[in-house]
Amino acid sequence: MNITLNNNLESFDEARMTVLDLLRIKNFTFKMLVVKINGNLVRKEDYDSTFISDSDHVTVLHLISGG
Amino acid sequence: MFRKAQYQAILEETIRNTLKAKCVGIAGAGGLGSNCAVALARIGIGKLIIADFDVVSVGNLNRQYYFLDQVGMYKVDALKENIRRIDPAVLVEVHNIRLDPDAMVRIFVACDVLVEAFDLAEMKQMIAETAAIHFPGKPLVMGLGMAGWGNSNDMRVTYQENLIICGDGISEISNDMPPLAPRVGICANMQANETINYLLIE
């Protein structure tokens, strides 16, 4: 499937994948994340049950301390 | 030359009049929040709503817009005073509070733009989540990655839906990477710059 991930078009071999799959495939191991699919927030407890569909716009924001 | 000066004066007046009608929320009054607030005040933003729970400490003075004689004051009170000294016409509403999602929604509901100016990643996560649920149409201008020094060209802005993210995205505060005035100031002023860019175009 093809999705827009953080403003970039990306292709994946998977026909179906959850948010957790995406994080594993991309090796996003960060502790503090905010994930949105088409603008809708996906909570951490829903990462393994929320599926990403072809042409979705996915935002994975990696939060780090400082300010 | 006269014409150019005249044009410039009219433009500045137009900018000032536009910003005068706008309200910006600032969540946190540390390195990002205090510097961003002052930049917005200097160009005549109408109203600032600022929330923080902390007091000014000596260690803050390496980057935050406070003065030695303000050590011990609540940051929101000190910042309000500093803005008043720059431009008393700027309305400053302060909330001396440790923000949680409910307070965030209540305090910042009327803002045209919300600036995320926390130091902790956990708080940045909370405001991004809260804004995604409660303020989907409101720009949230975040500061992510400004620790250390040098690498000025790595400081950039990315746009994702309602999020406007300022910083290099990777430089986290640590023992080797302290937050210092120049780079924190770059980030805070990028946040102020993106805020008025949105307000002037809108």
Side-chain angles (χ1 to χ4, degrees):
Chain A
M1 74 171 91
N2 300 310
I3 65 169
T4 305
L5 176 61
N6 293 345
N7 295 337
N8 297 313
L9 270 174
E10 298 211 21
S11 293
F12 296 88
D13 295 334
E14 287 70 13
R16 260 165 79 83
M17 66 177 170
T18 63
V19 170
L20 195 61
D21 294 332
L22 174 72
L23 298 180
R24 276 185 190 141
I25 292 164
K26 293 297 293 180
N27 207 14
F28 287 160
T29 53
F30 312 117
K31 204 168 47 164
M32 286 287 158
L33 295 175
V34 170
V35 177
K36 294 201 275 182
I37 300 177
N38 303 323
N40 298 311
L41 180 71
V42 181
R43 291 189 178 281
K44 194 170 188 171
E45 54 267 31
D46 300 325
Y47 286 176
D48 61 348
S49 59
T50 304
F51 284 89
I52 296 167
S53 307
D54 191 59
S55 74
D56 273 351
H57 284 251
V58 181
T59 296
V60 179
L61 192 61
H62 167 210
L63 300 160
I64 55 176
S65 288
Chain B
M1 285 306 280
F2 174 72
R3 273 191 166 170
K4 195 179 169 188
Q6 212 171 25
Y7 170 77
Q8 206 169 4
I10 290 167
L11 181 62
E12 281 182 23
E13 189 65 20
T14 308
I15 290 170
R16 205 159 260 277
N17 283 337
T18 306
L19 295 180
K20 205 172 164 181
K22 304 295 183 181
C23 172
V24 176
I26 301 184
L32 294 177
S34 62
N35 286 294
C36 184
V38 164
L40 292 171
R42 286 192 192 280
I43 50 170
I45 197 79
K47 184 176 179 182
L48 294 169
I49 301 177
I50 304 168
D52 198 295
F53 66 92
D54 209 359
V55 295
V56 179
S57 71
V58 172
N60 297 151
L61 300 180
N62 74 344
R63 66 190 186 283
Q64 305 188 14
Y65 211 107
Y66 301 108
F67 299 93
L68 190 56
D69 60 10
Q70 292 179 319
V71 168
M73 281 179 79
Y74 283 115
K75 286 183 179 177
V76 289
D77 293 336
L79 189 52
K80 185 173 182 169
E81 169 63 12
N82 294 342
I83 291 168
R84 190 194 61 76
R85 289 177 64 189
I86 293 164
D87 184 353
V90 177
L91 296 174
V92 184
E93 177 185 316
V94 298
H95 296 265
N96 192 351
I97 186 175
R98 194 183 285 268
L99 285 167
D100 59 24
D102 288 342
M104 225 175 265
V105 173
R106 191 179 70 244
I107 289 170
F108 296 121
V109 67
C111 299
D112 298 296
V113 177
L114 181 53
V115 174
E116 176 279 312
F118 293 127
D119 52 355
L120 296 175
E122 290 87 338
M123 294 295 283
K124 291 176 189 285
Q125 184 184 42
M126 183 183 72
I127 196 170
E129 290 187 347
T130 304
I133 297 166
H134 296 281
F135 301 142
K138 201 195 292 289
L140 176 65
V141 186
M142 303 189 71
L144 278 184
M146 78 302 288
W149 59 93
N151 302 311
S152 300
N153 283 343
D154 292 348
M155 301 300 282
R156 62 183 185 275
V157 183
T158 50
Y159 305 88
Q160 296 196 41
E161 294 146 358
N162 68 319
L163 297 177
I164 301 171
I165 303 158
C166 303
D168 66 19
I170 52 170
S171 300
E172 184 155 32
I173 302 296
S174 68
N175 289 337
D176 304 326
M177 293 273 273
L180 301 170
R183 222 158 177 263
V184 172
I186 290 172
C187 192
N189 283 286
M190 284 176 89
Q191 290 180 286
N193 193 33
E194 290 302 312
T195 297
I196 65 157
N197 187 47
Y198 172 81
L199 293 174
L200 294 175
I201 288 170
E202 184 211 35

